[in-house]
């Protein structure tokens, strides 16, 4: 047997086994020796004897007898097994073997000459302590001649037998780290199979209205564990089912793990599924109930069951008695829903490990054992024989709900769930009917019964028989949204009116509060320029008087040499100089007299008797002013960054080493100039990223607006992106978007390298990359699931829907924009793009014309002072899918052929919101206004002509104002001019060509008319050449 045995694990475990025996508690009391005999029985899957062998050696040893005496252990086995056991018999030089009893190995012969060996074992038993009472596993009875002859030999001696199954179970129930890892792996595989196979399969069956038997579906689940894609990289030969999957529906339920899936077809109601997967002999278990169109009462009962499971997990902690845990849960049921006492499962779970169900550690009212840290339980809570009074079909009248997970007992705090399959109603409910379909169903109920068809439209896509009216439905919905939009926006803006933004005045920097603080340096007495670095002040001689100017007043300086002189020119900030927008308001006293510039001149010629030339002072002043100015501007920029930063709570560090953690990640934006790797760890109330250099970035859960997980499917990086509610500071800058990513595969490719499609190295590299992608995706998903369970689903990660994605250019480059459940994002390019859908007022499509390949998308926010978001160059093919998506999100959209000047539009709305909504509000964007809208057509078109048509000047102005919000009150003089002065502004070439063709047609018509007229007058009159209409 060329198999290695983990000696260290054996020594640790045999010491624990003997130490518990020597304590003499429970069934161990008075036992003189322990006898464990294992035969061969294909039908027995779980037995305490084989479990003990697997725990000690890692393998089952059939036809082997183990006798544990006080000072020695006797093994009797075949020759090959004895060779295997010699690895632990030789304890020389092994420190871990200290205190372990000596091992005696006896070889089993295939003929009848085993009596001598049997006698040696009997002698060993008699020589151990009193030699009268032996501990055995009374339930384990193996067939075969070898076992029979040994049992006969044992029975002749009249030993008193004691069943020690419960005591041994309690000994091996506490799992070591290596065992815990195997159970986590088993639970991970169970989770994958349920999520990726079983749940998807049930959805597909419901969707396609298939008929399938419970037993057939159970077989498909069993076959799924043979496929590597569900095994998270585990060896398929080490994976097996703990028991055949149990699938029940249609009113017949038995909430036990000993039942078998029947041959009845699956009914689309409450579908319970129990499955457990075993990895390297260690078990896991998972139970879920999928509900198709559950009634409110069913949902209420299910939610109550979820609360009971949460309570059970909370009570499972180190030191608690199992019966107390059970009673706490049952008292809650008795108090809140006493009518369910008879419906709830008799026990709430059991300990699990090498054996699937440990009978002595069942969670019930009689169990006195105490829980210990490291025990693993399969917890199961169910309600059976529940009556659905509103059901019309027989199969729906009785239902059951059943949930269960694999959980580890911790020292403090609730038990940790190893099978984090989502179980809220929104995750397990399959809702098929909407209101329209329910009305249809009531009307057509009789006809459907005659046709023997269930009223079902299972998860139908939009391709129904009403496909032709999809656009009409969209328009109707959009009209409803338009009415709601204008009413809601008007109410909101009216409430906000009067809340004017406070204009901040430019900070007045005073150099010295009084003249006595002026420095007494010789340069000042000698009427030279002097820079006081402490007070950041330049002291200049003006008319022979030393005059201080703070560095903040200096706009720029320049130095030039002309002939024998050096000139230093100093320009100051003053009203009218280009400070940016609104410069007139930022001076504390704008009516004062300002110095605009001062120029100093000094000779480059050395004066006799002087050590330096006079120009040296100007040269030094130029250099030092530049330094002080740079330092001042850097500090000001940092202060500006810190303005408005909301102080965050402190991160509460969880000292537990088992915190969810991801290593070897990069952070964006970078902390330093060069990117650095680090690790992201989840704590009690937030994440902490620690770089290899030791830099720390903390992100609190309550400050995260969107947590987005971008998988590496079709991408070169895998990303966790956090869009924050309030900006945080790191790297001396404020950031509202922080992401952690790692690269998958090669970002760059060596084009000089010779490529061949069948090159073995390339094929191997591709295979490695595929494996790496799968490994990374699994690691990130595990991290996310752990974080979600740690935060009790308060923080939920959104995954972008790639199939709904469309390309566009929100910044300079084109990227793939993908919707999530609450946002529109692109996280793979930098800077990232995140728009919260709840903040969007409406979306307007610009440049939508048949002959154009692209169009633009403008996102207007509910906060009108916020700058609109532009996404350019979206392919026309994406227009309908985007409309469909926006419509499903209840977001109003409009479209037009022109590009509008949104800066001016938003300013006009903010200046007079009431007037804007009296004139129809956002209806001016509608291409075909009807009915009541026609009344305002004139005023609206007038607004559009005068206000909304862009001109070149405005486009330039808009570019300059790209970083400003619309809330700025004053505008440049250009803005006061009418934007529609030029009639042709905003017309493109196609429109101009169309006008030209129209003019040509008109001129030809006039020419023909004139010719006819001349013919009627007679041939004597000459016809004048036709006039061509001027364009």
């Amino acid at each position: 047997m060329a198999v290695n045995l983990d000696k260290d694990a054996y020594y640790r475990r045999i010491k624990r086994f003997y130490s518990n025996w020597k304590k003499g508690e429970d069934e161990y009391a008075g036992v003189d020796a322990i006898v464990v005999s294992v035969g061969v029985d294909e039908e027995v899957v779980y037995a305490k004897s084989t479990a003990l062998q697997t725990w000690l050696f890692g393998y089952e040893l059939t036809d082997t007898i183990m006798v544990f005496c006080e000072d020695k252990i006797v093994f009797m086995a075949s020759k090959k097994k004895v060779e295997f056991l010699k690895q632990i018999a030789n304890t020389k030089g092994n420190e871990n073997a200290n205190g372990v009893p000596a091992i005696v190995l006896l070889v089993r012969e295939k003929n009848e000459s085993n009596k001598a060996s049997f006698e040696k074992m009997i002698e060993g038993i008699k020589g151990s302590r009193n030699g009268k009472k032996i501990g055995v596993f009374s339930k384990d009875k193996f067939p075969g001649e070898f076992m029979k002859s040994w049992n006969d030999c044992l029975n002749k001696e009249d030993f008193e037998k004691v069943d020690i199954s419960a005591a041994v179970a309690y000994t091996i129930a506490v799992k070591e780290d290596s065992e815990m890892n195997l159970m986590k792996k088993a639970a991970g595989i169970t989770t994958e199979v349920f999520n990726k196979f079983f749940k998807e399969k049930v959805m597909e069956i419901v969707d396609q209205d298939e008929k399938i038997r419970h037993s057939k579906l159970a077989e498909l689940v069993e076959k799924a564990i043979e496929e590597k894609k569900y095994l998270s990289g585990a060896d398929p030969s080490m994976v097996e089912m703990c028991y055949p999957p149990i699938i029940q529906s249609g009113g017949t339920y038995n909430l036990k793990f000993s039942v078998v899936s029947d041959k009845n077809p699956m009914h689309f109601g409450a579908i319970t599924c129990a499955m457990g997967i075993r990895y390297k002999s260690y078990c896991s278990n998972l139970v879920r109930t999928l509900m198709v169109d559950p009634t409110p009462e069913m949902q209420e009962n299910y939610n109550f069951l979820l609360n009971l499971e949460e309570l059970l997990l909370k009570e499972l902690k180190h030191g608690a008695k199992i019966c107390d845990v059970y009673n706490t849960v049952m008292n809650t049921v008795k108090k809140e829903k006493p009518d369910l006492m008879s419906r709830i499962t008799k026990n709430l779970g059991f300990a699990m490990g090498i054996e699937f169900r440990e009978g002595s550690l069942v969670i019930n009212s009689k169990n006195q054992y105490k829980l210990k840290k490291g025990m693993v339980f399969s917890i199961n809570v169910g309600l059976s024989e529940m009556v659905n009074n509103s059901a019309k079909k027989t199969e729906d009248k009785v239902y059951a709900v059943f949930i269960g997970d694999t959980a580890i007992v911790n020292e403090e705090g609730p038990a940790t769930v190893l099978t984090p399959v989502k179980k809220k109603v929104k995750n397990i409910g399959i809702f098929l009917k909407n209101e329209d379909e329910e009305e249809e169903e009531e009307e057509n109920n009789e006809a459907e019964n005659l046709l023997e068809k269930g009223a079902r439209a299972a998860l139908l896509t939009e391709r129904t028989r009403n496909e032709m009216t999809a656009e009409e439905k969209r328009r109707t919905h959009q009209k409803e949204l338009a009415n709601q939009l204008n009413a809601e926006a008007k109410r909101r803006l009216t409430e906000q009116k009067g809340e004017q933004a406070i204009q901040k005045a430019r900070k007045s920097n005073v150099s010295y509060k009084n003249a006595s603080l002026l420095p007494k340096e010789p340069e000042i007495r000698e009427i030279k320029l002097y820079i006081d670095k402490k007070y950041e002040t330049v002291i200049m001689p003006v008319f022979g008087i030393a005059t201080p100017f703070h560095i903040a007043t200096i706009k720029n300086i320049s130095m030039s040499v002309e002939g024998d002189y050096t000139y230093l020119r100093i320009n100051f900030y003053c009203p009218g100089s280009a400070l940016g927008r609104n410069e007139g308001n930022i001076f504390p006293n704008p009516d004062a007299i300002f110095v605009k510039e001062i120029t100093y001149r000094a000779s480059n010629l050395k004066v006799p008797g002087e050590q330096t030339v006079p120009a040296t002072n100007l040269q030094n002043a130029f250099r030092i002013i530049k330094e002080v100015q740079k330092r001042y501007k850097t500090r000001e920029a940092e202060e500006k960054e810190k303005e408005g930063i909301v102080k965050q709570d402190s991160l509460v560090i969880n000292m537990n080493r088992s915190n969810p953690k991801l290593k070897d990640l990069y952070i964006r934006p970078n902390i330093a100039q060069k990117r650095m790797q680090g690790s992201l760890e989840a704590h009690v109330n937030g994440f902490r990223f620690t770089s290899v250099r030791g830099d720390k970035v903390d992100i609190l859960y309550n400050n995260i607006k969107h947590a987005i997980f971008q998988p590496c499917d079709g991408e070169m990086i895998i990303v966790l992106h956090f869009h924050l509610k309030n900006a945080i500071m790191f790297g001396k800058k404020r950031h509202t978007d922080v992401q952690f990513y790692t690269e998958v595969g090669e970002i760059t490719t060596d084009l000089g390298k010779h490529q061949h499609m069948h090159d073995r190295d390339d094929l191997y590299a591709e295979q490695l990359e595929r494996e790496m992608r799968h490994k990374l995706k699994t690691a990130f998903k595990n991290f996310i699931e752990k974080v979600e369970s740690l935060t009790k689903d308060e923080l939920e990660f959104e995954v972008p829907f790639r199939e709904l994605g469309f390309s566009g250019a929100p910044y300079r480059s084109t990227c793939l924009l993908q919707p999530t459940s609450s946002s529109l994002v692109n996280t793979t390019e930098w800077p990232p793009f995140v728009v919260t859908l709840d903040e969007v007022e409406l979306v307007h499509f610009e440049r939508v014309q048949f002959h154009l390949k692209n169009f633009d998308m403008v996102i207007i926010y509910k906060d009108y002072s916020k700058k609109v978001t532009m996404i350019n160059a979206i392919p026309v093919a994406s227009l309908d899918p985007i409309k469909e998506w926006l419509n499903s999100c209840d977001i109003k959209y409009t479209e037009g052929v022109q590009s509008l000047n949104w800066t001016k539009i938003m300013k006009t709305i903010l200046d007079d919101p009431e007037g804007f909504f009296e004139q129809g509000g956002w209806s001016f964007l509608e291409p075909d206004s009807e009915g009541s809208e026609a009344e305002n057509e004139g005023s609206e078109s007038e607004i559009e002509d005068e206000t909304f048509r862009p001109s070149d000047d405005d486009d330039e102005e808009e570019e300059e104002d790209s970083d400003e919000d619309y809330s700025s009150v004053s505008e440049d003089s250009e803005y006061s001019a009418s934007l529609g002065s030029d009639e042709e502004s905003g017309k493109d070439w196609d429109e101009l060509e169309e006008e030209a063709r129209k003019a040509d047609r008109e001129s030809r018509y006039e020419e023909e008319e004139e010719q006819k007229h001349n013919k009627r007058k007679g041939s004597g009159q000459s016809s004048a050449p036709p006039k061509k209409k001027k364009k």
Side-chain angles (χ1 to χ4, degrees):
M1 209 180 222
V3 181
N4 287 328
L5 192 154
D6 187 345
K7 289 186 260 187
D8 293 337
Y10 166 77
Y11 294 137
R12 278 197 313 273
R13 292 169 190 179
I14 201 72
K15 281 180 186 175
R16 195 206 297 182
F17 180 69
Y18 265 82
S19 110
N20 283 9
W21 177 20
K22 284 174 183 174
K23 283 179 191 172
E25 296 173 357
D26 305 321
E27 290 87 352
Y28 282 135
V31 171
D32 299 319
I34 295 169
V35 178
V36 179
S37 50
V38 178
V40 180
D41 191 346
E42 295 294 333
E43 293 180 9
V44 174
V45 180
Y46 303 108
K48 193 67 73 226
S49 312
T50 53
L52 183 63
Q53 283 185 346
T54 306
W55 185 63
L56 290 173
F57 314 122
Y59 299 94
E60 284 184 21
L61 305 176
T62 54
D63 281 338
T64 302
I65 299 168
M66 301 184 291
V67 178
F68 298 93
C69 304
E70 189 176 18
D71 55 356
K72 66 180 177 184
I73 306 170
V74 183
F75 291 101
M76 184 178 176
S78 66
K79 195 174 180 180
K80 282 186 179 179
K81 294 186 182 81
V82 167
E83 286 296 320
F84 170 69
L85 293 168
K86 277 182 182 176
Q87 296 176 73
I88 51 169
N90 183 13
T91 59
K92 286 181 182 177
N94 195 318
E95 294 176 9
N96 295 317
N98 293 338
V100 174
I103 289 174
V104 178
L105 298 174
L106 303 173
V107 179
R108 176 177 69 86
E109 299 296 336
K110 289 187 179 178
N111 51 30
E112 293 298 318
S113 62
N114 287 314
K115 281 189 179 180
S117 299
F118 288 164
E119 284 169 7
K120 283 182 185 177
M121 289 192 286
I122 298 291
E123 284 172 21
I125 295 169
K126 288 179 177 177
S128 176
R129 296 188 179 179
N130 298 326
K132 291 179 180 178
K133 193 184 281 188
I134 58 170
V136 294
F137 301 134
S138 56
K139 284 187 180 178
D140 293 0
K141 290 173 182 174
F142 290 92
E145 284 298 318
F146 176 60
M147 286 293 112
K148 187 175 179 295
S149 55
W150 163 245
N151 287 328
D152 290 344
C153 189
L154 202 59
N155 292 335
K156 282 177 189 175
E157 301 297 329
D158 291 331
F159 291 121
E160 184 186 342
K161 292 180 181 177
V162 179
D163 186 10
I164 57 165
S165 301
V168 171
Y170 197 61
T171 301
I172 67 176
V174 177
K175 305 293 181 287
E176 295 177 353
D177 288 345
S178 57
E179 294 178 282
M180 204 74 81
N181 290 335
L182 293 174
M183 296 202 77
K184 285 177 181 176
K185 188 76 174 172
I189 297 168
T190 308
T191 303
E192 287 284 292
V193 171
F194 183 88
N195 279 336
K196 291 186 179 176
F197 180 80
F198 178 77
K199 193 176 176 184
E200 292 295 319
K201 188 71 181 170
V202 171
M203 298 281 271
E204 187 184 315
I205 291 164
V206 175
D207 184 14
Q208 296 175 7
D209 194 10
E210 285 181 29
K211 281 193 176 181
I212 188 168
R213 292 179 176 182
H214 296 139
S215 53
K216 178 66 177 172
L217 188 54
E219 281 175 29
L220 293 175
V221 175
E222 283 196 75
K223 284 180 183 174
I225 65 167
E226 295 170 12
E227 297 182 41
K228 281 190 177 180
K229 61 182 176 181
Y230 303 123
L231 301 186
S232 307
D235 180 1
S237 64
M238 297 292 179
V239 180
E240 58 183 330
M241 299 302 296
C242 297
Y243 55 91
I246 303 164
I247 298 155
Q248 302 176 90
S249 67
T252 309
Y253 302 93
N254 187 348
L255 307 187
K256 291 179 181 177
F257 296 103
S258 54
V259 297
V260 179
S261 299
D262 58 32
K263 292 186 178 181
N264 294 332
M266 189 173 81
H267 175 71
F268 301 162
I271 305 160
T272 66
C273 171
M275 66 170 73
I277 288 172
R278 204 175 182 203
Y279 178 64
K280 289 189 178 177
S281 301
Y282 283 85
C283 301
S284 63
N285 198 27
L286 173 70
V287 185
R288 288 291 181 270
T289 303
L290 299 177
M291 295 191 286
V292 182
D293 281 333
T295 63
E297 186 188 353
M298 287 169 76
Q299 292 181 45
E300 186 189 337
N301 288 330
Y302 182 82
N303 286 327
F304 178 66
L305 210 59
L306 285 182
N307 294 337
L308 289 183
E309 194 196 26
E310 281 296 317
L311 177 63
L312 180 55
L313 287 167
K314 196 176 173 186
E315 293 298 317
L316 283 176
K317 58 179 77 169
H318 181 79
K321 272 189 179 180
I322 291 176
C323 57
D324 293 344
V325 173
Y326 177 85
N327 292 332
T328 304
V329 175
M330 285 304 169
N331 289 339
T332 305
V333 179
K334 203 178 286 182
K335 185 179 174 184
E336 295 184 16
K337 294 206 171 189
D339 52 316
L340 296 181
M341 283 297 289
S342 59
R343 309 288 188 202
I344 201 160
T345 44
K346 290 181 181 177
N347 63 64
L348 303 178
F350 42 80
M352 189 166 59
I354 298 167
E355 286 191 274
F356 173 68
R357 183 180 187 275
E358 185 42 70
S360 60
L361 291 172
V362 175
I363 304 174
N364 58 27
S365 58
K366 297 173 184 176
N367 202 323
Q368 296 296 314
Y369 279 109
K370 286 187 176 179
L371 296 169
K372 286 188 178 180
K373 180 192 172 185
M375 286 184 171
V376 178
F377 277 81
S378 168
I379 56 165
N380 320 293
V381 193
L383 297 170
S384 58
E385 299 296 320
M386 301 293 287
V387 179
N388 180 6
N389 295 318
S390 60
K392 294 174 183 174
K393 294 181 183 177
T394 314
E395 295 93 333
D396 288 328
K397 285 183 178 175
V398 176
Y399 70 94
V401 280
F402 197 20
I403 50 173
D405 285 289
T406 304
I408 301 174
V409 177
N410 296 320
E411 195 154 0
E412 290 178 4
T416 306
V417 174
L418 298 182
T419 46
V421 176
K422 291 181 179 177
K423 52 196 170 206
K424 289 185 178 178
V425 172
K426 65 178 182 182
N427 303 120
I428 58 90
I430 303 171
F431 297 92
L432 308 177
K433 304 170 188 170
N434 55 33
E435 291 174 11
D436 297 338
E437 287 169 336
E438 282 179 345
E439 288 172 12
E440 271 182 42
E441 185 184 342
E442 285 171 16
E443 291 169 10
N444 303 326
N445 204 23
E446 289 178 19
E448 284 176 350
N449 286 340
L450 289 170
L451 292 168
E452 295 182 351
K453 281 188 180 179
R456 188 177 301 112
L459 306 170
L460 287 175
T461 60
E462 289 306 307
R463 295 191 172 275
T464 63
R465 61 179 179 273
N466 298 324
E467 187 171 15
M468 295 304 290
T469 60
E471 180 63 29
E472 290 171 22
K473 280 185 179 180
R474 240 176 16 214
R475 281 182 183 171
T476 308
H477 188 217
Q478 285 296 311
K479 276 184 183 176
E480 291 170 10
L481 290 174
N483 297 333
Q484 292 171 16
L485 170 73
N486 283 331
E488 179 64 25
K490 187 176 180 181
R491 182 191 61 74
R492 195 173 60 245
L493 284 175
T494 309
E495 286 174 5
Q496 288 175 357
K497 200 176 179 187
E499 296 176 13
Q500 295 294 327
I502 299 165
Q503 185 81 19
K504 282 194 176 181
R506 187 179 176 86
K507 191 168 66 175
S508 177
N509 292 293
V510 178
S511 297
Y512 307 108
K513 290 184 178 176
N514 53 59
S516 62
L517 294 173
L518 269 166
K520 307 288 189 289
E521 299 295 328
E523 285 94 335
I524 296 172
R525 289 197 299 275
E526 293 167 9
I527 316 178
K528 289 182 181 179
L529 269 78
Y530 175 74
I531 293 89
D532 185 352
K533 290 184 181 179
K534 183 181 176 184
Y535 289 97
E536 295 177 328
T537 299
V538 181
I539 298 167
M540 307 178 197
V542 179
F543 299 117
I545 300 166
T547 310
F549 289 86
H550 194 274
I551 200 75
T553 62
I554 296 173
K555 184 180 178 185
N556 54 46
I557 58 170
S558 62
M559 189 173 70
S560 60
V561 178
E562 294 177 15
D564 295 339
Y565 294 96
T566 295
Y567 293 86
L568 181 68
R569 180 180 174 182
I570 302 172
N571 292 319
F572 296 92
Y573 286 117
C574 62
S577 64
L579 276 179
R581 301 180 68 79
N582 316 318
E583 71 273 6
N585 297 334
I586 63 172
F587 290 93
N589 189 6
D591 297 329
I593 295 169
F594 288 81
V595 178
K596 189 173 183 183
E597 68 175 80
I598 296 178
T599 305
Y600 289 95
R601 187 183 79 168
S603 174
N604 292 334
L605 301 173
K606 194 174 179 182
V607 179
E610 292 289 332
Q611 290 182 347
T612 57
V613 296
T616 307
N617 177 241
L618 296 189
Q619 291 163 2
N620 289 340
F622 176 77
R623 180 177 53 80
I624 298 168
I625 289 170
K626 283 278 186 189
E627 286 175 14
V628 174
Q629 203 173 28
K630 185 180 177 183
R631 196 169 64 224
Y632 173 77
K633 283 180 179 175
T634 305
R635 196 177 71 246
E636 283 287 298
E638 284 180 20
E639 285 178 9
K640 190 179 178 184
E641 288 288 333
K642 287 177 184 174
E643 271 180 25
I645 289 284
V646 177
K647 193 183 177 193
Q648 302 292 314
D649 299 333
S650 298
L651 183 72
V652 180
I653 302 293
N654 187 354
M655 302 311 288
N656 191 348
R657 285 188 178 181
S658 62
N659 288 341
K661 190 173 186 178
L662 279 176
K663 294 179 181 177
D664 302 328
L665 299 179
Y666 295 105
I667 184 172
R668 278 203 294 204
N670 296 332
I671 300 173
Q673 287 183 340
K674 288 185 178 180
R675 65 176 193 166
M676 280 183 294
Q677 282 192 328
S679 59
L680 181 69
E681 193 168 2
H683 291 282
V684 176
N685 64 337
F687 297 101
R688 168 164 283 180
F689 176 78
T690 311
S691 73
V692 288
R693 198 176 69 176
D695 306 280
K696 289 182 173 61
V697 177
D698 293 345
I699 300 171
L700 301 185
Y701 301 140
N702 59 12
N703 191 32
I704 295 173
K705 191 188 247 181
H706 298 291
I708 297 151
F709 168 49
Q710 175 66 61
C712 52
D713 302 325
E715 304 289 352
M716 294 308 290
I717 58 174
I718 184 167
V719 182
L720 286 181
H721 185 94
F722 299 110
H723 182 66
L724 308 178
K725 295 174 186 172
N726 301 306
I728 59 171
M729 286 284 292
F730 65 86
K732 296 184 180 177
K733 288 189 178 179
R734 56 194 293 168
H735 305 286
T736 49
D737 284 285
V738 185
Q739 67 176 223
F740 305 96
Y741 71 98
T742 188
E743 292 170 357
V744 185
E746 295 179 8
I747 299 288
T748 57
T749 305
D750 183 4
L751 295 175
K753 193 176 108 177
H754 176 67
Q755 299 277 330
H756 192 272
M757 66 180 290
H758 296 301
D759 186 354
R760 285 188 181 181
D761 290 344
D762 283 358
L763 292 172
Y764 181 63
E766 285 177 18
Q767 176 65 23
L768 284 179
E769 186 178 319
R770 276 195 295 273
E771 287 174 6
M772 185 185 175
R773 281 175 180 271
H774 181 72
K775 195 175 175 183
L776 280 171
K777 206 160 36 164
T778 306
F780 272 71
K781 279 186 177 178
N782 289 342
F783 175 80
I784 287 165
E785 286 165 357
K786 286 175 185 173
V787 169
E788 285 180 346
S789 63
L790 180 72
T791 59
K792 301 246 170 55
D793 286 341
E794 284 177 23
L795 178 68
E796 279 197 32
F797 282 82
E798 302 171 46
V799 179
F801 303 115
R802 195 175 180 85
E803 60 275 10
L804 295 178
F806 57 91
S807 59
Y811 302 114
R812 292 182 184 276
S813 60
T814 302
C815 58
L816 182 67
L817 300 162
Q818 302 173 72
T820 71
S821 53
S822 64
S823 58
L824 177 66
V825 302
N826 171 265
T827 57
T828 51
E829 304 285 331
W830 196 263
F833 178 83
V834 181
V835 169
T836 306
L837 298 182
D838 287 344
E839 295 175 2
V840 175
E841 180 84 307
L842 80 145
V843 172
H844 181 66
F845 304 118
E846 296 184 336
R847 299 191 306 112
V848 180
Q849 298 182 52
F850 287 116
H851 58 275
L852 293 181
K853 290 181 180 178
N854 298 319
F855 67 94
D856 301 332
M857 180 170 160
V858 183
I859 298 170
I860 300 112
Y861 296 97
K862 289 177 181 174
D863 179 3
Y864 288 178
S865 62
K866 191 175 177 182
K867 186 171 174 59
V868 300
T869 298
M870 293 280 295
I871 303 172
N872 301 316
I874 304 170
V876 167
S878 301
L879 183 60
D880 266 357
I882 293 172
K883 283 181 178 178
E884 195 57 54
W885 164 62
L886 290 172
N887 195 54
S888 68
C889 296
D890 291 339
I891 294 174
K892 169 72 182 154
Y893 63 79
T894 54
E895 63 180 77
V897 294
Q898 288 188 342
S899 296
L900 304 177
N901 183 1
W902 289 99
T903 311
K904 189 67 181 174
I905 292 172
M906 301 313 291
K907 185 182 180 302
T908 306
I909 296 169
L910 284 170
D911 287 348
D912 183 16
E914 289 176 1
F916 172 72
F917 287 107
E918 279 171 13
Q919 291 178 351
W922 291 107
S923 59
F924 80 88
L925 293 170
E926 296 283 358
D928 49 348
S929 299
E930 297 174 6
S932 62
E933 292 171 10
E935 295 171 15
N936 297 325
E937 193 177 342
S939 59
E940 281 175 18
S941 60
E942 190 181 325
I943 292 171
E944 194 171 344
D945 286 344
E946 292 181 4
T947 313
F948 303 130
R949 190 168 289 170
S951 67
D952 295 340
D953 293 344
D954 295 321
D955 289 341
E956 289 170 20
E957 200 65 44
E958 191 174 353
E959 282 178 27
E960 286 176 15
D961 191 30
S962 61
D963 293 331
E964 298 285 334
D965 277 348
Y966 294 124
S967 52
S968 57
V969 177
S970 68
E971 299 283 338
D972 282 3
S973 57
E974 294 169 47
Y975 277 101
S976 60
S978 171
L979 293 169
S981 57
D982 182 7
E983 282 186 2
E984 299 302 325
S985 68
K987 290 185 181 180
D988 58 18
W989 283 108
D990 300 287
E991 289 176 300
L992 292 170
E993 283 176 7
E994 183 60 38
E995 285 182 9
R997 278 195 292 274
K998 192 176 178 183
D1000 287 344
R1001 281 198 300 274
E1002 285 176 2
S1003 65
R1004 276 200 299 275
Y1005 176 74
E1006 285 176 9
E1007 188 179 340
E1008 288 170 5
E1009 285 294 311
E1010 198 166 334
Q1011 283 175 356
K1012 286 178 185 175
H1013 180 70
N1014 290 339
K1015 279 181 183 178
R1016 277 199 299 271
K1017 276 191 169 184
S1019 58
Q1021 291 180 336
S1022 62
S1023 60
K1027 290 180 184 178
K1028 285 194 176 180
K1029 188 175 180 181
K1030 290 181 183 178
K1031 285 190 283 181

